Amino acid sequence: MKMLTTFALIIAAAATLTERQAVDLSRQTMIDLSHAYGPSTVFWPTSPMHFTLERLAFGKSEGGYFYAANTFCMPEHGGTHLDAPLHFAESGRPADQVPLEQLIAPALVIDITARASADRDYRATTEDVLQFEKTNGKIARGTILLLRTGWSRYWPDAKAYLGDDAPGDASKLSFPSYGADAAKLLVEQRGVAALGIDTASIDYGRSTDFQVHRIVAANNVPGFENLTNLDRLPPRGAMVIALPMKIEGGSGGPLRAVALVRR
Ligand SMILES: [Zn+2]
């Protein structure tokens, strides 16, 4: 009898484990965290070019069937994109060598929308992180940390989104992001897998020394920029899959990021 009970307990435990490990897509809502690339995609004001799509073919082919194909060209850092550690660290990993474990992981979302609405130059503080942990528990190693500022509501209005849209001039940008101390806490102490944000940069718009970029790059942590739909994610419980274009030796690249949220 006692052995039977033990056996039942083992079965129950195994069932729970399987349930936890299996990703049952019928129970998940899929959320797109990427903007589309097109003529209105927002780029840094100093970017030498934007996204361009050139038609190679569109219409009835000689064989009588329909055929369409384009060629596209864009700088690595525009639209929803990856910052590979190489972006700000000479010996950091390039885009094609960022481990999948840093691109596919459980996500936590820190919401600073109210503070950013009151101050568009707001930088998330260590206090914001600690406050989040008070409610949601300590941030586990290997978590993808997303900062929600509400800024994607301005997309693709470059002036509203970046604070200034003067071509070739990045000296008057104004938008919220991570503060250096918060980034240090998240990367060096909590060991997050990646930092993501729904603004143009993991450094705030006024930054001239890009401290957050340098902190993450020095620790081989990638960044995800210009994300969207973060308002549809819970503070905890989402799974993020953020797969960039696998550019050999790239400093970043276009990123298709999605989230799975249990219904
Ligand atoms: Zn970038």
Side-chain angles (χ1 to χ4, degrees):
M1 177 68 190
K2 194 171 176 210
M3 225 174 94
L4 259 182
T5 312
T6 312
F7 188 62
L9 278 176
I10 289 171
I11 298 252
T16 312
L17 197 66
T18 315
E19 202 176 358
R20 257 192 231 155
Q21 287 175 334
V23 179
D24 180 355
L25 293 179
S26 70
R27 291 188 187 178
Q28 311 275 341
T29 300
M30 299 183 192
I31 298 164
D32 198 339
L33 306 183
S34 287
H35 293 290
Y37 303 94
S40 57
T41 296
V42 177
F43 281 80
W44 207 248
T46 54
S47 183
M49 63 172 294
H50 288 201
F51 179 85
T52 57
L53 193 69
E54 235 175 77
R55 183 175 284 182
L56 294 177
F58 189 94
K60 208 170 187 180
S61 68
E62 282 178 10
Y65 50 86
F66 175 83
Y67 180 71
N70 303 306
T71 179
F72 69 89
C73 189
M74 66 175 279
E76 288 170 332
H77 299 271
T80 304
H81 70 278
L82 165 85
D83 274 8
L86 174 64
H87 192 30
F88 273 81
E90 194 175 357
S91 55
R93 289 197 181 101
D96 59 314
Q97 284 170 35
V98 176
L100 289 175
E101 288 75 12
Q102 287 182 278
L103 303 173
I104 304 174
L108 294 173
V109 184
I110 299 183
D111 182 9
I112 58 159
T113 305
R115 290 193 169 95
S117 295
D119 172 12
R120 60 179 297 139
D121 298 315
Y122 188 76
R123 282 170 286 178
T125 63
T126 52
E127 191 45 43
D128 290 328
V129 177
L130 298 175
Q131 200 60 43
F132 175 87
E133 287 188 322
K134 249 184 214 161
T135 319
N136 298 285
K138 194 173 172 189
I139 296 165
R141 288 193 81 76
T143 298
I144 291 178
L145 202 290
L146 304 175
L147 190 62
R148 172 184 162 198
T149 69
W151 237 239
S152 53
R153 69 180 181 269
Y154 296 130
W155 184 278
D157 178 344
K159 189 165 169 57
Y161 190 73
L162 298 173
D164 185 39
D165 63 350
D169 182 7
S171 67
K172 295 180 197 72
L173 302 186
S174 168
F175 56 81
S177 196
Y178 292 90
D181 289 342
K184 253 189 205 157
L185 169 64
L186 290 166
V187 169
E188 293 173 5
Q189 291 178 46
R190 297 298 184 267
V192 298
L195 289 188
I197 188 151
D198 56 359
T199 71
S201 172
I202 53 171
D203 273 288
Y204 80 140
R206 289 193 179 280
S207 174
T208 51
D209 54 6
F210 304 101
Q211 286 185 60
V212 175
H213 275 87
R214 287 152 60 191
I215 291 162
V216 300
N219 289 277
N220 262 322
V221 168
F224 309 145
E225 294 168 333
N226 295 321
L227 294 171
T228 188
N229 287 331
L230 297 189
D231 58 322
R232 296 185 57 198
L233 304 189
R236 52 183 289 185
M239 171 71 76
V240 161
I241 301 168
L243 297 177
M245 189 172 169
K246 197 173 177 182
I247 301 174
E248 202 174 308
S251 76
L255 176 72
R256 187 64 189 269
V258 299
L260 302 179
V261 177
R262 198 169 170 144
R263 278 200 273 270

